[in-house]
Amino acid sequence: MSQLFILSSLSLVFIGLFGVLTRKNLIKIFIALNIIETGINLLLVAFGYIENGTTPILTSQDSILKLTSMVDPVPQALVLTSIVIGLGTTAFSLGLAIRYKYNHNSLSIRASEEEEGVKV
Amino acid sequence: MRDEKSLFINIVALLILSVMAFYIYKVSIDTGSGIKITDNTTPQMRVADRYLNKNVMDGNSKYEWGGSAENTSANIVTSVVVDYRLFDTTLEVIVLFITILGFGFIMPKDKRKINPSTTILYRWSPILMLLMLMIGGYMFINGHLSPGGGFPAGAIISTAVLTGVLAGRRTLNQKKLKIIEAVAGISIFGLGIASYLITGNFFQNFILNDKIGDLFSAGLIPVFYGLIAFKVAAELSNIYFEFYEEC
């Protein structure tokens, strides 16, 4: 099961890296960066996973005795930080993309070179 | 975007990345002495145990374990986020605030053309907004009992504001949002200073001896989560207004 988590998070990270390396549209690059972030979040949550684990919530009187069968709460709390920071950076980069489109009239990352007539 | 679909570049990138991915996968399932996901089979190997039992202070330190931080919240993740790591959570909210500040500098200030909404969205938006506000309120009120909390509740409430913006309804303006944000932020730090004056520790939970599992339990955790929910909702709605530049 843990191999499945490693495989899926790795494949998400590398799909995102492929997008960052080969795409030239800014919006597609931001989407690829978000895919990388999702893969890393999945890996962080997988660090706390145990087989047949339950959610870390005390629901009944005797659930305090089953603390060892609950999944680890600390990585889940850390992922919350990562999600919020990812949202902030995504929103800021989209604002920068609007500014870029306003200045260069294009969303390509080679827009400034194409304007000057550099052969790309 | 000429050579974005060029075959050669894509094949080279795929080859390099697949080699890297294969190498990292082989390393990560290796049974060496590095980090292994399968380590957490016993409770002593888990991250939470190492986190709680870490020893970074010597005997002369004046900081002491209060003894009653997490004995009232049913949701342990909420205990970690709001009791142990409240500094981190408040600074996350400040990171969002700095994002809004940056938006004001980089967004071009000219008038953009905005398409009017359709009749269906205009008529249905109040119903959708009511449902979203109900779900958001439930999430931050029950954040210490069930999955949820301040950040998802803030996201849901700001989605209600976004629906109003998309439908062309006048709900809030940016001045009111800034007031909500300022009041919530000042209240969070005011409660922190109050807990410093009462217990001697910044951000310590000073309402104790509740019954675990009740709606009004867990001391200051629901209060902090409500304030965080309003602050996050105001900040995200501010982002939507900055993108729309109307209302």
Side-chain angles (χ1 to χ4, degrees), chain A residues 2-3 5-7 10 14 17-19 21-26 28 43 46-50 55-59 67-78 80-82 84-85 87-89 91-96 98-99 102 106-110 114 118 120, chain B residues 1-5 9-11 13-14 17-18 20-21 24-25 28-29 35-38 40-41 43 46-49 51 73-77 80-81 85 88 92-93 95-96 98-99 102-103 105-110 112 145-147 151-152 212-213 225 236 239 243:
Chain A
S2 59
Q3 285 192 12
F5 275 125
I6 295 176
L7 258 183
L10 260 185
F14 278 93
L17 260 182
F18 178 75
L21 285 179
T22 60
R23 301 296 109 172
K24 293 175 96 181
N25 193 334
L26 275 179
K28 286 180 185 172
L43 186 69
F47 274 122
Y49 179 79
I50 53 175
T55 52
I57 296 173
L58 305 172
T59 49
L67 278 176
T68 55
S69 75
M70 287 175 178
V71 296
D72 208 343
V74 171
Q76 300 188 10
L78 290 172
L80 185 65
T81 310
S82 139
V84 173
I85 304 300
L87 187 142
T89 52
F92 190 73
S93 54
L94 284 175
L96 281 178
I98 290 176
R99 188 78 203 179
Y102 183 77
S106 163
L107 276 177
S108 167
I109 52 171
R110 297 270 179 87
E114 282 164 6
V118 178
V120 284
Chain B
M1 281 161 260
R2 242 175 306 149
D3 48 69
E4 187 179 285
K5 294 187 178 64
I9 291 176
N10 287 351
I11 288 175
L14 262 182
L17 290 180
S18 52
M20 281 169 66
I24 293 178
Y25 177 68
S28 60
I29 65 168
I35 298 172
K36 290 188 290 295
I37 286 181
T38 51
N40 52 17
T41 47
R46 284 160 61 170
V47 183
D49 199 68
Y51 180 81
S73 171
N75 191 345
I76 300 174
V77 179
V80 174
V81 170
R85 304 179 67 237
D88 185 70
E92 272 170 53
V93 176
V95 167
L96 273 179
I98 291 171
T99 306
F103 253 78
F105 287 119
I106 61 170
M107 292 292 275
K109 289 297 179 201
D110 58 334
R112 287 195 292 277
L145 301 176
S146 61
F151 289 101
I212 186 168
Y225 251 180
L236 294 185
I239 291 182
F243 271 127

Side-chain angles (χ1 to χ4, degrees), chain B residues 65-73 79 83 195 198-199 201 203-212 214 216-222:
Chain B
W65 162 241
S68 55
E70 65 168 346
N71 56 1
T72 48
S73 171
S79 283
D83 261 341
S195 68
I198 291 171
T199 65
N201 284 329
F203 280 145
Q204 190 180 349
N205 206 339
F206 57 81
I207 305 174
L208 296 173
N209 302 320
D210 300 325
K211 189 172 177 298
I212 186 168
D214 282 350
F216 294 105
S217 66
L220 281 180
I221 290 178

Side-chain angles (χ1 to χ4, degrees), chain B residues 107-207:
Chain B
M107 292 292 275
K109 289 297 179 201
D110 58 334
K111 279 286 172 191
R112 287 195 292 277
K113 205 177 77 178
I114 291 163
N115 296 328
S117 69
T118 58
T119 315
I120 298 174
L121 185 58
Y122 186 78
R123 293 288 171 209
W124 272 91
S125 62
I127 301 167
L128 283 176
M129 283 164 70
L130 267 182
L131 286 174
M132 285 171 187
L133 287 178
M134 275 171 56
I135 296 171
Y138 176 81
M139 278 188 89
F140 78 74
I141 288 171
N142 266 357
H144 56 295
L145 301 176
S146 61
F151 289 101
I156 293 170
I157 292 172
S158 70
T159 315
V161 179
L162 174 67
T163 312
V165 172
L166 287 178
R169 295 244 181 206
R170 297 208 171 275
T171 49
L172 287 167
N173 55 11
Q174 277 186 308
K175 204 171 223 176
K176 280 178 194 164
L177 283 176
K178 288 215 169 80
I179 292 171
I180 291 173
E181 192 188 326
V183 168
I186 291 171
S187 310
I188 290 173
F189 283 99
L191 277 175
I193 293 168
S195 68
Y196 177 73
L197 294 179
I198 291 171
T199 65
N201 284 329
F202 202 57
F203 280 145
Q204 190 180 349
N205 206 339
F206 57 81
I207 305 174

